Amino acid sequence: AYRVAEKLHTQHDYFKKVDFFMAADLPFVFYVQRPPKDDPKYKDEIVAKFGPILRELRKLFEKEYATPLGLRRQLQPELYRMAILSTPGDYVENYARAMRLGEGGLRLSAAHYDPKWRIAVTYEDKITPLSQDEERRHAILHEFVHALQHMYGRAGMPKPVWYAEGLAELLAAGGPDDSKDLSRRPFPQQALRQFMAAMGQGGDLFVNSLQDLVTAEGPGYDDVLLRAAARAGGRVPVNRDEFVGMALAAFYTQSTLMVHFLHEAEGGKHRQGFFEYMKAVQAGESGWGTFTKAFPDVDPDQIESSFLEYFRKAASR
């Protein structure tokens, strides 16, 4: 942890330019940027806020996925690095610019996982009380799931973007107590509202076919945006920035809903298939064949139609 802190101080494109504290709550190590108004208790508040929920989510991931699927940690030592920047502007402007997150959608997010440094980066906002900021809690849990996917990835970060983002959204959802039990994850109501709005705004322009959804690969969102642009042809009804935002929002919500569907719909009928798929992508596999192989007894067209029907019914309630 101290060696990494030294490297951040001397080699990282952003952290070598700012002052930060290090606080350890092993296996979690927090790198906390010094806030504009110095507060000696700040780093301890950060650890107290995030440490327990990260620990619960780590236990949940191991219980529900890693142990039953026989996944093994691939990175040593088992450390999870969390960087907390001091303001939204530090993340959106300074960090995003220093790390050249660019126009591929990463700059539009509220948090980021960097596999090169094995570090999840988000921000706090001293104006907003720590106890009330659920958005920040969700952001760091989402990025922590990426850290877990990386930790258990035999070929680094898994390639399918829908899997990486959809599972991160599923596991980051809910209140503090929901980190302890997968069955307590709430129905993704907000994602459903956004998905139905995307269907109304652009139909096939913003909504992915199942094959487009599961074959888009990272790193980043360039592949997602290329597919959205190909579907759009020349009929993009908004400017580029709006198009990027709408396309990524639709992809995120559809990925979230698909992971929920494969876990819970039809009495959990597809959950074992998702587990087989997860095991394959954590081993470095990807592509349409990997997805269809995981669901050998189900026609992909049936998955797609059942998915749409499941959420249309939920939206009409």
Side-chain angles (χ1 to χ4, degrees):
Y2 287 100
R3 285 197 299 271
V4 171
E6 182 60 29
K7 285 185 177 180
L8 287 171
H9 267 305
T10 59
Q11 300 177 26
H12 193 276
D13 288 340
Y14 178 76
F15 288 103
K16 69 183 180 183
K17 301 173 183 175
V18 300
D19 191 15
F20 61 88
F21 306 103
M22 188 184 80
D25 182 19
L26 296 177
F28 306 103
V29 182
F30 294 87
Y31 302 96
V32 182
Q33 183 177 350
R34 190 185 296 275
K37 185 175 181 179
D38 203 3
D39 180 353
K41 297 180 180 179
Y42 181 59
K43 72 178 188 330
D44 296 327
E45 290 177 337
I46 292 292
V47 173
K49 177 184 179 182
F50 293 125
I53 56 174
L54 290 169
R55 198 174 299 280
E56 290 293 345
L57 187 51
R58 171 174 167 257
K59 286 165 51 179
L60 177 70
F61 187 91
E62 291 176 347
K63 180 182 76 171
E64 297 286 349
Y65 302 110
T67 299
L69 299 183
L71 304 180
R72 297 288 181 265
R73 297 186 192 105
Q74 303 296 316
L75 303 173
Q76 295 297 331
E78 189 200 3
L79 288 178
Y80 301 100
R81 300 168 185 130
M82 308 288 158
I84 312 296
L85 309 189
S86 62
T87 69
D90 281 312
Y91 180 86
V92 176
E93 295 299 331
N94 301 333
Y95 175 80
R97 186 179 298 113
M99 300 308 294
R100 296 174 288 280
L101 298 187
E103 297 183 349
L106 291 171
R107 190 171 184 173
L108 301 176
S109 66
H112 172 56
Y113 178 71
D114 184 343
K116 175 184 174 182
W117 287 89
R118 290 175 55 189
I119 191 167
V121 183
T122 186
Y123 60 85
E124 269 294 347
D125 186 348
K126 289 287 284 181
I127 304 302
T128 302
L130 287 169
S131 61
Q132 297 178 14
D133 197 356
E134 288 302 316
E135 180 184 345
R136 310 281 17 99
R137 174 188 171 278
H138 182 95
I140 198 168
L141 289 180
H142 179 109
E143 299 309 321
F144 176 51
V145 175
H146 292 329
L148 289 166
Q149 291 167 328
H150 190 198
M151 175 63 71
Y152 288 91
R154 280 166 46 189
M157 279 295 293
K159 295 176 184 177
V161 184
W162 83 277
Y163 160 77
E165 301 300 347
L167 186 62
E169 282 294 288
L170 177 77
L171 296 183
D177 290 339
D178 297 327
S179 298
K180 302 176 183 179
D181 187 347
L182 188 62
S183 68
R184 295 173 66 170
R185 286 298 179 280
F187 183 86
Q189 197 66 50
Q190 183 177 356
L192 176 58
R193 286 194 296 270
Q194 293 172 337
F195 180 67
M196 299 307 292
M199 290 185 70
Q201 289 171 334
D204 62 335
L205 176 60
F206 294 115
V207 176
N208 299 265
S209 68
L210 178 62
Q211 188 164 356
D212 260 5
L213 183 76
V214 304
T215 55
E217 296 188 0
Y221 305 118
D222 288 345
D223 201 10
V224 173
L225 295 173
L226 284 172
R227 290 161 191 258
R231 288 196 303 273
R235 60 189 180 93
V236 178
V238 293
N239 65 42
R240 173 173 168 73
D241 286 345
E242 288 178 301
F243 177 75
V244 167
M246 294 170 74
L248 289 180
F251 187 89
Y252 251 80
T253 56
Q254 193 173 354
S255 299
T256 302
L257 295 176
M258 181 58 74
V259 171
H260 173 87
F261 173 82
L262 294 175
H263 274 75
E264 304 297 339
E266 301 176 307
K269 168 183 174 180
H270 303 294
R271 184 178 288 204
Q272 188 58 43
F274 179 83
F275 287 168
E276 293 300 319
Y277 178 79
M278 180 175 181
K279 187 158 59 173
V281 298
Q282 288 293 150
E285 297 180 34
S286 62
W288 183 236
T290 299
F291 184 85
T292 56
K293 183 180 177 182
F295 301 90
D297 300 323
V298 188
D299 188 305
D301 289 342
Q302 183 61 42
I303 293 178
E304 189 161 26
S305 61
S306 297
F307 166 81
L308 292 171
E309 182 64 20
Y310 177 77
F311 286 110
R312 283 196 182 104
K313 284 183 178 178
S316 68
R317 293 185 192 124

